[in-house]
Amino acid sequence: MRAEHASNEAGWQEYLDHVSRCDLSQRQQDWLQVDVRAMFSSTPLFHHELEPSTGESLLFFSESIVLLCPQQCILHHFPRHLIHCFVEDRRNHVLRDDDVLFRAELFSISPLEEQLCWMAQCEEPHEIPSIQQRIARWMRWLNRV
């Protein structure tokens, strides 16, 4: 049981370290580091993604995803069976200057105000492998038995 607890704490500590490097207000930092952590105190965190400019976070748990929006102090919870992945590879298309070359999206089929839309996209071919790595983590989580 100790190894499981240590692993749970390591995932959370990595996330909280990433959050502390974001340019967020003290209220937003406190909400993420104190309130959110308290709400999930006994829940193992498998993986996370963070948008540093906004502090929005996607937390991957065993059977669900949580989207955290610190600007509004809102937490959205989505069961894994409601999450879908969409990938669009446009390398063989004629693109305009502002078109996205490659994009992936995790999304949910849920009520309008509760929809998940977490995207990774790029406009340069050399950025595609990093997005493919993110997709691989998403797929590993989605297809866990």
Side-chain angles (χ1 to χ4, degrees):
M1 193 67 160
R2 266 182 215 224
E4 179 181 317
H5 177 73
S7 175
N8 178 26
E9 286 304 311
W12 277 105
Q13 191 56 55
E14 180 183 3
Y15 170 67
L16 295 174
D17 288 347
H18 287 158
V19 164
S20 70
R21 291 191 291 270
C22 291
D23 186 25
L24 301 174
S25 71
Q26 189 60 50
R27 180 189 61 81
Q28 294 166 337
Q29 284 282 349
D30 289 346
W31 183 73
L32 290 168
Q33 299 220 12
V34 177
D35 298 316
V36 169
R37 182 64 182 110
M39 287 185 264
F40 293 100
S41 62
S42 60
T43 306
L45 177 59
F46 288 92
H47 177 64
H48 74 275
E49 292 193 11
L50 178 70
E51 178 53 52
S53 63
T54 63
E56 287 188 355
S57 308
L58 195 62
L59 306 180
F60 292 79
F61 297 109
S62 178
E63 296 298 323
S64 63
I65 285 180
V66 168
L67 174 64
L68 300 172
C69 304
Q71 285 83 5
Q72 304 87 14
C73 293
I74 294 177
L75 177 153
H76 302 273
H77 177 264
F78 302 96
R80 187 171 63 156
H81 70 276
L82 294 180
I83 305 297
H84 307 275
C85 184
F86 170 81
V87 178
E88 182 178 22
D89 183 347
R90 301 195 49 172
R91 286 179 281 189
N92 294 319
H93 291 79
V94 175
L95 303 176
R96 296 184 307 246
D97 289 339
D98 59 344
D99 282 345
V100 172
L101 179 65
F102 193 92
R103 81 179 174 107
E105 179 181 340
L106 278 180
F107 65 97
S108 68
I109 305 298
S110 339
L112 183 60
E113 275 95 40
E114 293 295 320
Q115 290 183 352
L116 173 66
C117 179
W118 189 263
M119 293 181 54
Q121 62 186 32
C122 66
E123 296 173 1
E124 300 294 330
H126 71 275
E127 298 171 311
I128 292 174
S130 67
I131 292 179
Q132 289 171 328
Q133 288 176 342
R134 287 176 68 182
I135 295 166
R137 281 192 303 270
W138 296 352
M139 290 302 209
R140 182 174 57 238
W141 179 81
L142 282 168
N143 291 305
R144 282 177 36 296
V145 177

